[in-house]
Amino acid sequence: MKRILMVLSLCATLFHTSCESKKEEKEEEVKFLVTSPLQRDTLVTKEYVSQIRAISHIELRALERGYLQNIYVDEGQTVKKGQLMFKIMPMLYQAEQQKAQAEANFAEIEFKNTKSLADSNVVSKNELALAKAKLDKAKAELGLATTHLGFTEIRAPFNGIMDHFQVRLGSLLDEGDLLTTLSDNSEMWVYFNVPEAEYLDYKANEATAGMLNVNLRMANNQMFPHSGSVKTIEADFNNETGNIAFRATFPNPKRLLRHGETGNVLVTVPMKNALLIPQKATFEVLEKKYVYVVDKDNKIRSREIEIEAELPHIFVVKSGLKADEKILLEGLRQVKENEKIHSTFVKPDSVISNLSLYAE
């Protein structure tokens, strides 16, 4: 009997020890890290989708009707201002110029003879004026014929890059037919849309901050090596989007950027007393951001916050949270609404410093 009692006592002791051990493990499981938002001055980089345009991008069209006799350039070639690119068969226009030249020569001889007679009072001054008018008309027609002949040669109006040819050698061209396009990409205009609130902030700081300098991330996720500056803002807002277009000018000395490319404009904006929290301390419900706020009784409650900007591993909080409040840092999926937890507080500067935040 005593042996049975000893066995039961031993089992009870082991059961009690096991329960105590499980209880301690449970208490260990609910001990969470909490922290507070960090308030400090920082630099926030905002990103905007952009369209890249050449400062001059024009269509080259035929000014006269005729056959395309010669093409002196190639697609994608760099051309210089005044360089001959296309030539339309000029025979007809050469004949017209020669005819006009002959008529001008005849009118000039006639004028000189009439003037000699007028000086001798053989003919009246009216006849001299008529001869002078005929000469002026002949010279005007010669100038017109020369201009038409000049239109058969199409030269580059500026330094640029040739685009795809719309015609081929021997094509019959009508007046106004598109030949190709020409782009001057020594500098590039980069357009990006800015919301109304950010536009107003920019205009408010323009007098003190001066011209807004920006950077460009290209489509391959590489940074363009030269920075640009915002020199122009369009006149009107888009009523559908609430945005207004900014135009930044970028130097393009190596002609890396081409007309029609896309990229992202990066604008660095200083923020005073920004409220910073780790991104891992937030969760999302229906595209809205939330945090778990820990009250004075160590109970957690979810709260919606509004994000003003995003940094690597960091959110800048616009509203919904105060600097002296505590938030759950880790274990967000292990807790429930209004649950009381055991927590360990971690200083916010220590948390942020471990997230590789750049701030000043």
Side-chain angles (χ1 to χ4, degrees), residues 50 55 109 123 141 154 163 176 190 194-195 222 245 262 302 312 314 335:
S50 63
I55 58 171
I109 294 171
V123 298
E141 289 177 349
I154 300 173
D163 197 6
V190 180
V194 176
Q222 298 295 315
T262 60
S302 61
I314 296 292
V335 297

Side-chain angles (χ1 to χ4, degrees), residues 220-240:
N220 62 352
N221 212 33
Q222 298 295 315
M223 296 300 297
F224 185 62
H226 304 280
S227 62
S229 56
V230 174
K231 296 182 179 180
T232 300
I233 302 175
E234 289 192 357
D236 300 327
F237 277 88
N238 186 321
N239 292 332
E240 296 180 358

Side-chain angles (χ1 to χ4, degrees), residues 48-94:
Y48 306 89
V49 176
S50 63
Q51 299 290 328
I52 302 172
R53 298 287 182 264
I55 58 171
S56 292
H57 181 76
I58 64 168
E59 295 178 341
L60 296 177
R61 294 182 177 272
L63 295 174
E64 294 292 349
R65 189 175 188 277
Y67 287 98
L68 185 58
Q69 179 175 315
N70 290 106
I71 299 176
Y72 299 97
V73 291
D74 198 1
E75 297 174 337
Q77 179 181 336
T78 300
V79 297
K80 299 294 185 181
K81 181 178 180 181
Q83 182 176 341
L84 181 60
M85 297 183 294
F86 302 96
K87 190 170 186 178
I88 299 172
M89 191 172 290
M91 273 93 76
L92 176 62
Y93 302 102
Q94 285 177 343

